[in-house]
Structures are given as structure tokens and as C-alpha cells.
Amino acid sequence: MYAICGWMGRVADDHASDRVLDSMLLACGASPAGHAARICESGIHLGSVGGEALVYCDAEVGVALSDPVYASADSDEPLGAGEVARLYRTHGDRLLGNIHGSFSLAVLDLSKRTALLAVDRAGIRPLYFTRVGEAVVFTSRLAALARIPGLQLRVSDQALFDYLYCHAIPSPGTVYAGVDKLLPAQAVELTPGGRREYFYWHMPYRDDSRAAFPDLSRALRDLLPRVVARAADAPGAGAGHVGCYLTGGADSSTVAGNLRLLRGAPVRTYSIGFQANGFDEIELARIAARHFDTDVREYRIQDKDVVDALPRIAAYCDEPFADASIVPAYFCARFARGDGAARLLAGDGGGEIFGGNTHYANQQIFELYSLLPGWLRQAAVDPLASVPGLRKLKSYVDRARIPLPDRLETHTILHGTPVVDIFDPGFLARVDQAAPRFTQHDYYERAGSRALVNRMMHLDLKIVLADNDLRKVNQACELAGVDVRYPLLDQRLMEFAAGVPPRLQVKDNRLRWFFKQALADFLPPEIVARKDRGVDLPVALWMSESGPLRELTEDCLAGLGLRGILNPAYLDWLSVQLGGELAGNSAPMLWALVMLEQWLRQHGH
């Protein structure tokens, strides 16, 4: 568990400040025995769950780090907070270009009355911040903010709308009004008079790269063992062995296979299945385990497990969380912890840097329409689309006419139903319905690339990965008591992937073309040939069956009906869906609403 919290300024009187900081550290995950470091001097109040080396303070400067960092991308010698403080004295905020690894960071400078807050390049470690009067308060766990005297946390209506639109609450917003969170590679400098936000690093996409496949393939094969080794051997795992999540996808299989080669002996891999017909994908994980000769450990989830765990998961999550795969992620981590694992290596991030997400191929098909000459569209394609019986062509043309990234809205759980039918009119009047679209446009346009696949990957790095996948796995592992690392999000691999020509990332409508072809003689052929599916909880099946998850769903819908968020008629319609086969967006929306109501209850709202 890694976390930081603290403030600069006055949020409590001198006698109470120690108690406030200790209370915040407990909320961040420190045990009552004191697995935390805290320093309170000169108006700077810093705490870190993880050890004394992660905090530093003198009369002018204080530094809090969530993790040890590295002085270069290739270095294996970690730096503590004291070394970071010295870098800050020499370089100022330019120090962010000189530290590497996964981290959240706070540098408090009393002489300048500034607070510099930043997170790593992939957004692996989160950081939230707000103001209390003239004081700057920050934390990597939202729960810690509830311990600050005078800070009234109010759930944001906008955040609830964004949550149902995006499946998660996209940065920089949070579930609480007036509290922000940093995006990947973002820093903010806070002064008594204002704030300055900027990005200290960008994915260095090279659209016109002429790099040849054989050279790129060798470079990837050389780099993968190095990033896996750093992730496996990084400080802070504690007592226990290092294992791997293994879903049977290309990413997790690549990580597990490289760790097996590095260790020279079988390593433990952990896989999740389901006691539900048609949903058990564990055989693909077994194929990878046999191929690499790993010591495979398996756990099967049933619907009762889900109901028992949901309140605990919702209580731990910083914000409402709609991705049902957090449940298998948690059970896998808990199973591994019980098996003696101190750290798990996860394959998250590979899809967002090597062209692996399904819509990358789908959107290229839709883009073909815009490449047709205008006269051909008007004379042939558009008239054909209006012919009765050619509904698929009409659907294609209708969607192809929507420019990116707006076209991606067709994948949201709100798509297909007017928002006025979903939300209570009073609630809808208090939110900006265009805000999620504005956020998507911002990330998409800021990619620094003209290539379609690069722009979509950049968007997904910011939302799908940082605000969803990493939050999911981080919080599942923290709750289970296991450290987790992401080798494929090592800066060296991200920068390498940015230089792969876009034409090789997704080729002939085949996802991960370069990645899989480069590893074709390393990965099992079944995994090279198959599309990655991930680990999907059988939500629709278990909700529609008469059982504990259906009962919980009905109870949560009834609770939401009293909150003035959703249209009562829409909730009634969803309740009817529970009695039949859940189709379309009904199951994802029902799950999102269950998790929303559970989160609100568990957090006292």
C-alpha cells in the first residue's frame, strides 16, 4: 500500500494538526501500529504510508512520495524524498522530467508559498487536491479528506452524470464538488493567488516513422524482460513472492512469460473463472500457463461471492465505479494474497499503447466512408442506405457521418435512450450534458498525432486506462493487501510503442498486429490468433436469475428511486428488464446503478 497525504497552510490548530494527519494516514491505509511516516514542521504537514524514506522536510521544503522514483528511465537505483528535494532545489519544477517510475508527488515550498503536485506519466498513482481556506490539501486517497476540519464534502451532480456517461468519473473531476484529481503526466502549481496546470510529458507519437518491422521486433523483445524485471524487483513489495495476473490475453501472457524466463523456474500465476455456463474463459489462461510452465492457481467465483464482496468493494473505492471486472480483480488479488503473494504483475496498458482495443479496428471501418469521393457518396452510397431492407448499410452510414471522437459515444451505457427519459428533470437541469463530450474532445485533440489509431489510444490512455482500468486493479489489490505493478506502462515501453508506425499497430483490421507478430514465436499460437476478451463478470445472467444478485439489484433500484437522480419511469422499466433476458445496455446500466447506490450507502450519502 502506497499513499501520501498532507497540507500546507492552516487547517487545524497546532495542537490538533498531528491528530488530523494521523487520522488522514489511517484513512489512507496505515495500520494502527504505525505503518506510516509523518513530518510536521514549519507549516508543512506531510504523511506517507510506506516508510520514512518517502517523506522529507526541513525549514523551507517538504516532499512526500508515494513510491521511490528513479533518476533515469534505465536506472535501477531508487531515489527517496530527500534526493527529490535536492533535485527540486536545483531544477525547480523541471525536476519532473528527471524522475521516473510510478508515483504521486507533493513538493511544498514555504519560501515561495507554493505547492507542486504531480503524478507519473501513465497516471498509475492518483492524487486528489482541494483548498481549505488558504491551505492546500492533497491526498492519494479521497477518504482522507473527510478527516479535514472545516471541509464539507458534497457529492457533485455533474460527477454522477459523468459517471453514468463514461462508466467512471473522468479526471480532472471527482465525485466531490471542489475536489480535483490529476491526469497522467499532469502537474499543478498552487499558490495563495491561483493555480497553474500543465503536462510535463507527452506520448511522443511519430506518425511518419519508417522503422522496419524486424528492427522494431528485436527492440521489443529486448525491452520486455527489462521492464518486467524492474516491476518485479521494485522496492516495497514486502514479505512474499511475486506472482502474475493471468487472463490468457496477449498482455498478461507476455508479462507472465517474461517473468518465467527471468526467474528460470516456474512462477505463480493467478486466474479467475466463473461458475456460470458460457462465461468461463479460464482455459485460455491454462494454455498460457502450460506454454510457459507456470505454477497456475485458479479461483472460481459464484454469484453469492459477488453479493458478499460488493459492499466491501464499494466502501473502499474512492469514487463510484461501474466496471464489473473489479470483482474478479479483487477475488484474484485476495486469492493471491492468501497464497503468499506480496506483489502481482498485471498486463494493463498493452491495449492502449499497442492498438489492442476493439474500437480501433471498428472505427477504421467507419472512416472508410469519409475517404470515398463526395460524388460517390451522394450518387450511390447514400441513396442505397435509404432503400428499405438495407438497414445495416443505413446504420453504417448514419454512424460514419458522426465525426470522431463523438462517434465513440455509441459505446456508452447511455446510448440509445434520450437522457430526458433516464434522469430526473430537476437533476438534469443542474448538470452540463456536454461536459463528457468536451473532455473526450480535449484528450483526443491533444494527442499530438494525426494518425487515427494514435489519437484513439491517447484518448483511452487518459480515460479507459487511467480513470478506469488502473483505478480498478489498484483498488482491488489495495483492498486485498497486495502490491501491484504494470510492466507494460514502463516509460521506456510507452515511448517505444509511440514510435511504432500507426500502419503496424492495427493492420488489415487486425488488432495488436505489430505486438502479436513480434511475439508470434513467444506466445502460444492460440493467443496470437484469438481476440483478447478480458475477464467479464456474467452480470446479465446472474441478475436475471432468481438469486442474491437479483435481490440486491432490486433493493438498490428502490434506494435510487428516493434520491431524485433518475426518472422513476426509467427505474420501473429497468426493474421489468430483470424479469427477462437482459439485453443491450440494460445489464451494464443496472450494474452501474447498483454500484452507485452501494457507494452512496457505504460512504454515508
Side-chain angles (χ1 to χ4, degrees):
M1 171 67 195
Y2 294 83
I4 62 174
C5 62
W7 67 89
M8 184 170 69
R10 191 175 187 84
V11 301
D13 61 56
D14 292 340
H15 298 293
S17 61
D18 279 6
R19 293 195 301 274
V20 172
L21 188 58
D22 285 343
S23 179
M24 290 178 70
L25 284 167
L26 287 173
C28 283
S31 69
H35 182 55
R38 61 182 179 85
I39 297 179
C40 304
E41 293 180 16
S42 309
I44 296 175
H45 302 264
L46 295 172
S48 170
V49 179
E52 293 288 347
L54 302 182
V55 291
Y56 170 86
C57 192
D58 58 30
E60 294 182 345
V61 175
V63 173
L65 273 171
S66 66
D67 305 66
V69 294
Y70 301 91
S72 73
D74 293 312
S75 173
D76 291 322
E77 291 297 323
L79 305 177
E83 289 85 357
V84 172
R86 285 190 283 276
L87 285 172
Y88 174 76
R89 292 184 191 279
T90 303
H91 301 288
D93 64 359
R94 297 193 310 277
L95 80 95
L96 297 173
N98 296 320
I99 60 175
H100 306 267
S102 61
F103 63 85
S104 52
L105 165 70
V107 179
L108 308 182
D109 188 332
L110 276 178
S111 65
K112 296 181 180 178
R113 300 182 68 197
T114 63
L116 175 65
L117 309 177
V119 297
D120 62 75
R121 292 159 177 80
I124 294 170
R125 302 298 184 194
L127 195 59
Y128 307 90
F129 63 95
T130 189
R131 292 185 186 270
V132 180
E134 292 188 356
V136 172
V137 180
F138 62 89
T139 177
S140 51
R141 289 281 292 144
L142 267 182
L145 292 181
R147 314 300 176 96
I148 296 293
L151 179 57
Q152 300 297 319
L153 296 175
R154 178 177 62 83
V155 173
S156 163
D157 288 335
Q158 185 67 52
L160 299 184
F161 179 83
D162 294 351
Y163 162 77
L164 292 175
Y165 192 102
C166 301
H167 300 232
I169 299 173
S171 305
T174 72
V175 69
Y176 295 123
V179 180
D180 292 337
K181 63 177 178 276
L182 291 173
L183 280 75
Q186 188 178 37
V188 59
E189 186 178 75
L190 299 163
T191 65
R195 58 196 276 177
R196 179 176 70 96
E197 298 173 353
Y198 59 95
F199 293 93
Y200 65 89
W201 180 85
H202 300 272
M203 279 287 283
Y205 294 118
R206 297 184 286 283
D207 295 356
D208 302 324
S209 171
R210 299 290 182 181
F213 173 81
D215 296 333
L216 289 169
S217 178
R218 284 191 294 272
L220 176 66
R221 298 286 286 263
D222 176 67
L223 190 52
L224 282 169
R226 291 155 57 198
V227 299
V228 170
R230 175 187 274 186
D233 300 332
H241 64 266
V242 176
C244 294
Y245 273 111
L246 184 58
T247 66
D251 297 331
S252 67
S253 299
T254 297
V255 171
N258 275 278
L259 184 63
R260 170 66 175 85
L261 290 178
L262 287 167
R263 294 296 194 249
V267 296
R268 294 186 192 180
T269 54
Y270 298 92
S271 303
I272 288 292
F274 304 101
Q275 292 187 353
N277 291 333
F279 285 88
D280 197 348
E281 294 284 320
I282 208 166
E283 183 54 40
L284 205 59
R286 290 174 177 166
I287 289 172
R290 288 193 295 268
H291 182 79
F292 292 118
D293 187 26
T294 71
D295 184 357
V296 63
R297 309 296 171 98
E298 300 175 352
Y299 183 85
R300 275 190 165 77
I301 300 174
Q302 50 188 321
D303 59 346
K304 183 179 182 301
D305 292 330
V306 178
V307 174
D308 291 343
L310 276 187
R312 189 178 316 120
I313 292 171
Y316 190 81
C317 285
D318 281 321
E319 302 178 277
F321 195 80
D323 189 339
S325 61
I326 193 172
V327 175
Y330 165 66
F331 276 100
C332 191
R334 193 179 75 169
F335 177 54
R337 176 70 271 187
D339 192 48
R343 170 174 292 161
L344 288 174
L345 303 188
D348 296 80
E352 289 75 23
I353 65 173
F354 285 114
N357 293 346
T358 303
H359 55 275
Y360 302 157
N362 294 342
Q363 295 308 320
Q364 287 191 342
I365 295 175
F366 285 114
E367 287 296 298
L368 293 176
Y369 175 82
S370 65
L371 297 177
L372 295 174
W375 64 267
L376 182 59
R377 294 199 301 265
Q378 295 174 11
V381 180
D382 292 353
L384 276 174
S386 63
V387 173
L390 297 180
R391 288 181 298 174
K392 287 186 177 180
L393 178 60
K394 183 179 186 305
S395 175
Y396 168 82
V397 170
D398 288 345
R399 292 177 67 182
R401 286 172 173 166
I402 303 171
L404 285 171
D406 291 341
R407 195 188 304 138
L408 296 173
E409 291 181 29
T410 57
H411 297 287
T412 72
I413 57 178
L414 295 186
H415 177 68
T417 305
V419 292
V420 294
D421 293 341
I422 296 175
F423 294 96
D424 176 85
F427 174 86
L428 207 54
R430 299 192 297 271
V431 304
D432 179 359
Q433 298 179 36
R437 290 178 58 198
F438 176 82
T439 299
Q440 286 188 333
H441 276 268
D442 181 41
Y443 300 163
Y444 185 78
E445 299 297 338
R446 206 164 17 86
S449 171
R450 300 181 307 279
L452 178 70
V453 67
N454 285 343
R455 299 178 91 179
M456 287 192 291
M457 287 194 294
H458 188 264
L459 174 63
D460 285 351
L461 279 170
K462 303 297 184 181
I463 295 182
V464 173
L465 187 67
D467 284 327
N468 188 84
D469 293 353
L470 296 179
R471 300 281 189 268
K472 169 188 70 181
V473 181
N474 282 345
Q475 293 180 134
C477 287
E478 289 170 7
L479 180 58
V482 180
D483 181 44
V484 62
R485 298 283 163 160
Y486 306 94
L488 302 186
L489 292 175
D490 187 292
Q491 177 188 341
R492 294 168 292 183
L493 196 60
M494 293 177 71
E495 292 181 343
F496 167 82
V500 174
R503 58 185 170 78
L504 299 184
Q505 293 281 30
V506 179
K507 184 176 181 181
D508 299 328
N509 222 37
R510 293 163 63 188
L511 298 169
R512 301 179 191 272
W513 186 88
F514 164 73
F515 187 80
K516 286 189 171 182
Q517 292 303 309
L519 298 173
D521 62 345
F522 178 73
L523 293 170
E526 297 92 335
I527 291 174
V528 173
R530 196 173 188 274
K531 291 182 179 180
D532 291 354
R533 287 186 54 180
V535 181
D536 295 324
L537 197 70
V539 170
L541 176 65
W542 285 343
M543 279 184 168
S544 60
E545 290 179 341
S546 179
L549 187 55
R550 179 171 172 177
E551 293 173 6
L552 178 66
T553 304
E554 292 170 341
D555 176 62
C556 288
L557 291 180
L560 282 170
L562 304 176
R563 295 186 180 275
I565 299 171
L566 296 154
N567 189 324
Y570 181 69
L571 288 172
D572 291 342
W573 179 80
L574 285 174
S575 297
V576 172
Q577 303 305 301
L578 283 171
E581 291 187 8
L582 294 175
N585 286 328
S586 298
M589 175 59 92
L590 282 165
W591 179 268
L593 294 178
V594 167
M595 291 304 293
L596 175 59
E597 176 64 15
Q598 284 292 310
W599 189 90
L600 291 168
R601 290 180 187 181
Q602 297 300 323
H603 290 262
H605 301 296

